[in-house]
Amino acid sequence: MSITFADPKPLSHAELEEGTAFAPRFDASGLVTAVTTEAGSGRVLMVAHMNAEALALTLQTGEVHYWSRSRARIWKKGESSGEIQKLIEMRTDCDQDVVLLTVEQTGRGAACHTGRKSCFYRIVEVQDGTAKLTDSGEPRLFDPKAVYGA
Amino acid sequence: MSITFADPKPLSHAELEEGTAFAPRFDASGLVTAVTTEAGSGRVLMVAHMNAEALALTLQTGEVHYWSRSRARIWKKGESSGEIQKLIEMRTDCDQDVVLLTVEQTGRGAACHTGRKSCFYRIVEVQDGTAKLTDSGEPRLFDPKAVYGA
């Protein structure tokens, strides 16, 4: 089974925003933004990118695949770490350039390569006119050196 | 008061990911991705972009400002619709190219220009090998024609 998507170009504004065709508006690099949330808690775990192949693989297999911009290849989440993401639901936004994933985060429950559940473990706070980061206290669920090597 | 950010270029990988300097990694267009969630529910309301000025204005005023790519200008959320977003918290991710906002969505509670609370009102479902969209039933909280004109 190969999953096909609609081409957004011939769609009207109303068809894009209110219609039933899934017509991802890939950017110049062929990517949409993917925001991944945890089933149950709704917490935002991570933000990454998907090309058409990653979208299709995710829908076909039920396991989340992204496009790694740094490695320029398809990246099945958890392929190294074991932290597979099982797709519960995929949504798209009004202008179809973002997908919102609800996933069950398997393994130790860490979506972030630093070993934390979420990549968003630091809070931005302004101190004397400078924006600084404060650790939110998100615990590490694995040791990245042990999982990925030094 | 003008808020300053750190330059990510001289930072080590460890400083970028574990440090206290807020050093947004703006892309070639000078933008970071902003994911906006609703305080209390944690629901993802919308995804947009911020340049340095939008980030600074948001932190200075406590009201969320984005960079509108389509209009190529600073866009104070709610400036036309009245749906101002009050910033409760800002976080950044491990590699500092995304900010995660927690906001109080004022006005009628609609972050989306279609009048819905969230831009993510359609679910992607595969039917006979084609990905289709199903309306999740998110109600309209305002009539976009009445708010923005026809």
Side-chain angles (χ1 to χ4, degrees), chain A residues 67-122:
Chain A
W67 176 257
S68 168
R69 293 183 300 175
S70 58
R71 291 172 286 174
R73 68 166 176 85
I74 289 284
W75 155 42
K76 177 179 167 179
K77 175 69 188 167
E79 62 189 9
S80 301
S81 63
E83 310 293 297
I84 300 286
Q85 292 179 337
K86 293 196 177 170
L87 182 69
I88 306 297
E89 187 185 81
M90 182 185 292
R91 294 187 177 214
T92 192
D93 68 340
C94 43
D95 63 353
Q96 301 204 42
D97 62 355
V98 179
V99 290
L100 176 64
L101 312 177
T102 303
V103 305
E104 179 194 337
Q105 178 61 66
T106 71
R108 290 146 291 199
C112 185
H113 75 286
T114 66
R116 300 171 174 97
K117 177 184 281 292
S118 167
C119 296
F120 295 93
Y121 49 84
R122 290 177 296 179

Side-chain angles (χ1 to χ4, degrees), chain A residues 26-62:
Chain A
F26 298 109
D27 69 10
S29 304
L31 303 175
V32 290
T33 301
V35 177
T36 305
T37 64
E38 183 184 46
S41 73
R43 273 195 70 187
V44 177
L45 298 175
M46 59 182 287
V47 173
H49 296 83
M50 289 181 164
N51 62 2
E53 186 185 357
L55 267 177
L57 284 169
T58 298
L59 290 167
Q60 281 165 25
T61 66

